[in-house]
Amino acid sequence: KAFPLEEITALVDCAPGMPLDEKVVFGDRATGVEGDADRIRKRYEEAGHFTVRVEVEPRPLDPAAGTCEVIYRVHEGHPTRIGRIDITGNRMTREDVVRRYLPLTPGERLRNDQILEAYLRLMQTQFFKSVDVNPRETLDPAVMDLLIDVEESPTSGLLNFGAAYSP
């Protein structure tokens, strides 16, 4: 319902006459029915449907000929909004400094590209050695909280000094 059928079928690589593969990876792209399901799932997550489920069901058509049809069942779930944003692991860096770099605010629709952007922004500050941004389910299926766990980089004890002399 969230997308036209043509947009979803364009994400499917499997075609009539192809061998049925569960998952084959070529470079950074997965093919086969599981790769198709991953692409469909990611498309829905990009639009904020984090509770999407994609089921793949191969049904035999002619066992003698070894043919089957593949049915993709998409359970869209609800568009997901951001509930609370919890930040952990920051010992030296104040919480408001961390929040300043987040492209996310409670109440707006949660999208995968925002999660990636939050991760990249926090890593680019070089304040942190590692950053994990994880959505967490709440009692309301249309709301997810975000847990942002950071590990701070060492900042003390570093001194750089340079000097030059020319006669």
Side-chain angles (χ1 to χ4, degrees):
K1 295 178 184 175
F3 301 104
L5 182 61
E6 298 79 27
E7 184 176 343
I8 299 303
T9 55
L11 299 171
V12 176
D13 282 344
C14 292
M18 290 179 63
L20 179 66
D21 289 323
E22 291 296 316
K23 189 168 190 174
V24 180
V25 179
F26 293 109
D28 62 348
R29 183 173 171 89
T31 62
V33 293
E34 289 301 319
D36 292 344
D38 286 345
R39 279 188 295 285
I40 294 169
R41 192 172 7 293
K42 285 178 185 173
R43 178 63 187 107
Y44 275 90
E45 288 175 354
E46 287 170 0
H49 291 258
F50 274 81
T51 56
V52 65
R53 285 184 303 123
V54 180
E55 298 172 359
V56 179
E57 181 185 341
R59 286 188 181 166
L61 286 178
D62 183 3
T67 59
C68 69
E69 68 178 351
V70 179
I71 298 170
Y72 297 91
R73 283 196 178 80
V74 180
H75 305 275
E76 294 180 337
H78 303 283
T80 308
R81 300 221 173 267
I82 299 171
R84 290 188 354 229
I85 300 176
D86 297 323
I87 299 169
T88 61
N90 53 324
R91 297 186 201 315
M92 301 290 290
T93 310
R94 292 190 337 246
E95 187 171 313
D96 63 315
V97 173
V98 176
R99 288 185 186 277
R100 182 181 321 150
Y101 291 97
L102 297 179
L104 310 156
T105 56
E108 70 180 342
R109 185 173 279 190
L110 179 63
R111 297 187 327 264
N112 262 352
D113 61 332
Q114 290 175 311
I115 292 174
L116 178 61
E117 186 177 346
Y119 168 81
L120 292 174
R121 282 185 179 184
L122 290 171
M123 288 302 291
Q124 287 172 347
T125 64
Q126 297 183 352
F127 297 159
F128 308 107
K129 194 181 334 179
S130 70
V131 175
D132 288 321
V133 182
N134 297 307
R136 293 185 306 185
E137 292 183 3
T138 64
L139 297 177
D140 183 352
V143 176
M144 292 188 106
D145 291 339
L146 283 179
L147 174 63
I148 300 174
D149 186 31
V150 297
E151 182 182 349
E152 294 178 319
S153 296
T155 57
S156 62
L158 298 175
L159 175 65
N160 290 330
F161 182 80
Y165 174 74
S166 178

